[in-house]
Amino acid sequence: MKTSIKNIKALEILDSRGNPTLRVFMELEDGTKVKSSVPSGASTGEYEAYELRDGDKNRYNGKGVLRAVENVNEIIAPALKGMDATNQLKIDKTLIELDGTKNKSKLGANAILGVSMAAVRAAAASHNLEIYQYLGGSEANRIPVPCMNILNGGEHADNSVDFQEFMAVPIGAPSFKEGLRYVAETFHTLKNILKNKGLATSVGDEGGFAPNLKSNEEAIEIIIEAIEKAGYKPGEDIAIAIDSAATSFSVNKKDKYNLKWSGIGEMNSDDLINLAGEWLKKYPIVLWEDPLAEEDWEGFKKFTAEFGDKIEVVGDDIFVTNTEFISRGIKEHTANASLIKLNQIGTVTETIEAVRLCLEHGWRAFISHRSGETCDDFLADFAVAMGTGHLKSGSASRSERLAKYNRLLEIEDELKGNSKYYWK
Ligand code: PGA
Ligand code: ZN
């Protein structure tokens, strides 16, 4: 068969933080050749699928992925050879069975995901289709609103801001192309404002600025100033989204927190919920991700009960793109959206299942990159295929972030006026 898998091979490469990750090469019988690269997180959830690292302190401080590479070359490649690349369900099922563990710790979710994504890319290429068409069908035409993380804190930066991400969201733009321009201009204006205030304009892991500010709230105020100075109306043209990544400053992963980077100190779940209430009164916030830690199901539920009718409440570390946790969340009204990260669960099929579960229950699904990325642009096509209407891929700097946004520009252009762009 033309679309049978002929060869699979993995290579250890470096991600945007200079840490090892995998690039997987796949060749089909018809001569199609593709490659896919795997991202890696920093503020990871406890129950994410397992990222296999060598632990050999003599190489990359233990972060090498030669064992995962070997698992692709020695175990996965022979098992998948001859299999039809268009049968994604069977490929992913075989990968899951070959691994045999609940969290993909035997072969490594990084090894598995690289192969799973490569199969999608190879099958699409072999049919002369773009990935968004292959996965989403001919009606896939919704380009996601780019939630641009222009100010970084938490574990993604070495500054005084506790919350990890402050995103500019071009909800009022007429198209993706214009939306990207709105927020990229805001990013440049923010740089000038920071410079004029004598603040640092160096960037964090996701390409947003990482200044030392007097408070977490100043981050929002300064972004609103940037939106206005760039010529846009806060809340109308551009709104704000936050990822607290609260697990990263929780003491017990549950209901005790220490806002350590700003020096504010201890808080409990109610304090954080009250603080959010104050901010929501003052600022045009449309989405709040991980306002509480991954074990704080009660806090999440309270937060959603308070604010879930006004804003999108997204669970990242708490759901880890896993349908088991998302199902519990749906039942318990823990949130009203889930973050979606391919490498949190490890195969394309399971990621699609997580998206579908959300959408079937009236939840939103927020497609996301990782803080450690490569220039692989699979995510952009995936977001269009899923039609979920928004994605985050960092800021308007660092090519691994722009690779996804630029790919979305291509897709919108290719759809020649038949694309859709709207927030909700
Ligand atoms: P991570 O950050 O990739 O470091 O987990 C992204 C996020 O928390 O959403
Ligand atoms: Zn997050």
Side-chain angles (χ1 to χ4, degrees), residues 43 164-165 243 245 289-290 316-317 339 341 392:
S43 62
Q164 183 178 280
E165 301 170 23
D243 178 7
E289 178 185 331
D290 279 3
D316 173 8
D317 291 350
L339 202 71
K341 290 167 166 167
K392 62 172 187 174

Side-chain angles (χ1 to χ4, degrees), residues 301-417:
K301 193 175 168 176
K302 257 193 195 173
F303 188 96
T304 304
E306 288 269 344
F307 313 124
D309 57 337
K310 292 179 216 76
I311 62 164
E312 179 172 333
V313 183
V314 184
D316 173 8
D317 291 350
I318 191 169
F319 300 139
V320 289
T321 316
N322 187 317
T323 51
E324 253 179 62
F325 297 115
I326 297 171
S327 294
R328 178 178 165 192
I330 290 168
K331 235 178 260 146
E332 297 183 10
H333 306 286
T334 307
N336 59 26
S338 175
L339 202 71
I340 300 290
K341 290 167 166 167
L342 287 139
N343 79 327
Q344 273 184 331
I345 190 68
T347 63
V348 176
T349 301
E350 289 166 291
T351 312
I352 293 172
E353 280 166 5
V355 172
R356 287 203 182 127
L357 180 66
C358 290
L359 302 185
E360 278 160 12
H361 289 84
W363 276 32
R364 295 198 82 195
F366 186 23
I367 310 286
S368 171
H369 66 155
R370 298 307 304 246
S371 52
E373 268 291 341
T374 69
C375 285
D376 190 308
D377 57 11
F378 185 94
L379 195 76
D381 282 72
F382 185 75
V384 176
M386 295 296 105
T388 54
H390 55 336
L391 111 163
K392 62 172 187 174
S393 175
S395 194
S397 76
R398 302 183 62 135
S399 296
E400 77 279 4
R401 312 295 149 191
L402 273 318
K404 283 72 165 171
Y405 294 137
N406 287 338
R407 173 67 187 141
L408 288 166
L409 287 172
E410 273 181 19
I411 297 175
E412 191 174 60
D413 187 59
E414 201 172 271
L415 287 169
K416 294 188 176 51

